[in-house]
Amino acid sequence: MNQIMMIAGILLLVLAFAGCGEEKPNIVIVVVDTMRADHMGAYGYHRDTTPGMDSLARAGTMWTNARGQASWTLPAVTSIFTGRSARAHGTGINVSNGSVYGVGSEIPTMATVLGAEGYNTAAFFNVFLLDEQFGFHRGFNTFNCHPKGLGRAGETMDDALGWLDEQNGDDPFFLAIHLFDPHDPYAPPAPYDTMWGDPSRNDSVWIFTPEGAIADPEQNRHLKDRYDGELAWTDSQMSRLLAGLRSSGMAENTLVIVTADHGEEFLEHGYGGHGRTLFEEIVHIPLIMSGYGVPRGEVRDCPAAQMDILPTALDIVDVEHPDELRGIDLLSGSVPEIRAIPASGVNTGPPFQMASVTRDSFKTIWYPESDTFELYDLRNDPDELDPISPGEVRRERVLSYWSTPRAYPPRPVEGSHIGPACGIWVISR
Ligand SMILES: [Zn+2]
């Protein structure tokens, strides 16, 4: 009997020590607003805009064929943090009645799922669309959202690095950062403001005619130069974060994810900014993962989506999601070569709504008000200039996406309303 108790005691001790050795990895995700993939060095851009994020890509894995689920911040960021398409989570604008919806109060998010697993969770965000009223605070122990965070990448990184300094390794952490700077107006601090283009020009916002057209097409080149300066400035702050992680000794045990909510248009299809179309300049986003659990030096061209980020991150840190998600683990051995990636958008005028499905190098876009479909062959028409008529199967895929059921209701945002101003939807309170 004594022997049995001794063996049981030794077993318990072994199990206890095994438990102590199991340190859960940390997760850091940075969502850079308005960062189109093809303006980053790692994605082949001719300017050295993003050396810090490029080095992260080289040290980890980058996806070259990743697409966002929406054309603007609120629904796209929700897709990143809930692992669901825009139709599935329902966050955004209901154009029929002008209501605005935030993240539902019951839908599991990256913060609520990791928080329930004992993670210390913190968010440093930079636009009011990601604040408490829009439901983004749920699950975060520390929540800091600056309502007008343009130009605050430096201060935001100060705050995030200060919070990281306080982490003593007792609990794993989940740190979420949203940097707003590449969003217009394009006004990076010196020396990034004159890094490219004409240093004598300092206009930083689009000038529209009363009809909503771009008033000065020459302005496009200048704004693009300034936008690239914003990317370089934001990248310099990303480099501070990466250096901070390395010097803290936590880098090896931390999964780092960098992505964007959507891209930006520079007159490719007649518009400036975002939120008006679902062309590649808007939906083709960067996706980089590095650190814990991520293969080094890999470039993957399989189709990827914002809604894959949550299931991939949870699989890496071995945490279960309570629901079945349509997003997939991008690092599993069975990532399909062909799959349908959906997106949704809104606009100020007809067509008010749009939805798309990209599959096997073909993008089908549907405009519900006019019930018209366009098909683009991304391999032979990468600039999406020659729409053709899609067949029944492709149409059905978009309609099927449009009727995606919701497992959780989105959150009505009290006191918010929408209206067109300067040619774009403006949400105000
Ligand atoms: Zn955005």
Side-chain angles (χ1 to χ4, degrees):
M1 189 65 176
N2 275 350
Q3 249 183 346
I4 291 171
M5 283 179 74
M6 205 169 77
I7 291 167
I10 290 169
L11 270 176
L12 277 174
L13 269 175
V14 168
L15 286 173
F17 275 111
C20 283
E22 272 179 26
E23 259 183 65
K24 277 272 186 200
N26 311 303
I27 300 180
V28 175
I29 182 167
V30 183
V31 179
V32 180
D33 213 288
T34 318
M35 181 164 68
R36 50 189 282 179
D38 65 352
H39 275 238
M40 298 176 68
Y43 286 82
Y45 196 45
H46 65 279
R47 288 174 172 165
D48 192 20
T49 45
T50 52
M53 290 184 267
D54 301 346
S55 70
L56 187 76
R58 282 193 298 275
T61 298
M62 66 179 273
W63 283 265
T64 58
N65 201 9
R67 287 187 177 77
Q69 266 61 87
S71 62
W72 62 293
T73 312
L74 176 55
V77 177
T78 309
S79 286
I80 292 169
F81 288 124
T82 64
R84 295 167 201 264
S85 71
R87 293 297 289 178
H89 60 60
T91 298
I93 295 170
N94 180 335
V95 299
S96 60
N97 61 14
S99 303
V100 181
Y101 293 90
V103 183
S105 56
E106 296 153 45
I107 190 168
T109 69
M110 207 178 285
T112 65
V113 173
L114 290 169
E117 290 287 322
Y119 273 70
N120 188 15
T121 54
F124 298 91
F125 292 164
N126 270 307
V127 66
F128 75 95
L129 290 169
L130 305 181
D131 72 9
E132 291 92 336
Q133 291 217 43
F134 289 84
F136 282 90
H137 63 294
R138 281 179 51 240
F140 285 109
N141 306 133
T142 300
F143 187 77
N144 184 332
C145 183
H146 194 284
K148 294 178 181 169
L150 273 173
R152 287 195 83 257
E155 288 99 318
T156 300
M157 215 48 94
D158 290 344
D159 293 343
L161 286 167
W163 183 86
L164 270 177
D165 268 349
E166 294 165 7
Q167 303 310 300
N168 54 19
D170 285 349
D171 294 317
F173 62 78
F174 167 51
L175 170 61
I177 300 171
H178 163 260
L179 302 175
F180 199 45
D181 292 39
H183 194 287
D184 72 86
Y186 315 111
Y192 303 94
D193 54 341
T194 55
M195 194 166 261
W196 293 289
D198 180 356
S200 67
R201 276 189 81 149
N202 62 5
D203 48 320
S204 57
V205 293
W206 296 96
I207 299 166
F208 296 96
T209 65
E211 292 76 39
I214 301 295
D216 172 16
E218 280 302 306
Q219 195 194 21
N220 191 49
R221 184 197 302 258
H222 164 68
L223 292 182
K224 223 186 228 187
D225 292 335
R226 296 276 290 226
Y227 169 78
D228 287 347
E230 290 276 25
L231 292 182
W233 149 245
T234 304
D235 185 77
S236 72
Q237 299 308 307
M238 275 295 308
S239 293
R240 287 182 60 211
L241 174 69
L242 300 176
L245 275 171
R246 279 194 301 271
S247 65
S248 70
M250 297 187 289
E252 287 227 336
N253 198 40
T254 302
L255 163 66
V256 180
I257 303 166
V258 173
T259 191
D261 53 353
H262 51 76
E264 189 77 324
E265 294 182 68
F266 290 96
L267 303 190
E268 290 85 350
H269 291 87
Y271 301 105
H274 54 267
R276 291 185 177 84
T277 75
L278 292 171
F279 294 113
E280 290 296 274
E281 53 269 27
I282 292 297
V283 298
H284 183 211
I285 52 153
L287 177 58
I288 297 166
M289 296 193 193
S290 188
Y292 183 89
V294 182
R296 291 178 69 87
E298 290 203 8
V299 177
R300 300 195 177 188
D301 63 1
C302 60
Q306 281 170 336
M307 59 187 182
D308 300 331
I309 295 172
L310 173 62
T312 305
L314 292 187
D315 272 17
I316 290 175
V317 302
D318 198 21
V319 168
E320 292 259 325
H321 192 279
D323 298 335
E324 185 108 357
L325 295 174
R326 271 203 55 206
I328 61 170
D329 173 8
L330 290 171
L331 290 172
S332 77
S334 56
V335 177
E337 286 293 313
I338 297 175
R339 61 189 273 240
I341 307 289
S344 302
V346 291
N347 201 348
T348 45
F352 290 105
Q353 301 180 100
M354 61 199 77
S356 70
V357 168
T358 303
R359 186 179 182 278
D360 191 19
S361 301
F362 287 91
K363 184 190 293 176
T364 311
I365 304 176
W366 177 52
Y367 301 100
E369 281 91 6
S370 58
D371 195 22
T372 53
F373 291 83
E374 294 174 348
L375 176 68
Y376 293 91
D377 177 346
L378 299 179
R379 199 167 285 142
N380 295 309
D381 176 27
D383 296 330
E384 297 166 284
L385 298 173
D386 297 314
I388 45 184
S389 181
E392 198 59 34
V393 173
R394 292 189 194 281
R395 291 172 188 235
E396 278 303 319
R397 272 195 203 105
V398 186
L399 297 177
S400 165
Y401 161 59
W402 196 252
S403 58
T404 303
R406 278 176 198 148
Y408 303 93
R411 166 199 187 103
V413 181
E414 300 294 330
S416 284
H417 61 275
I418 56 168
C422 303
I424 56 168
W425 284 113
V426 170
I427 301 181
S428 54
R429 290 197 294 252

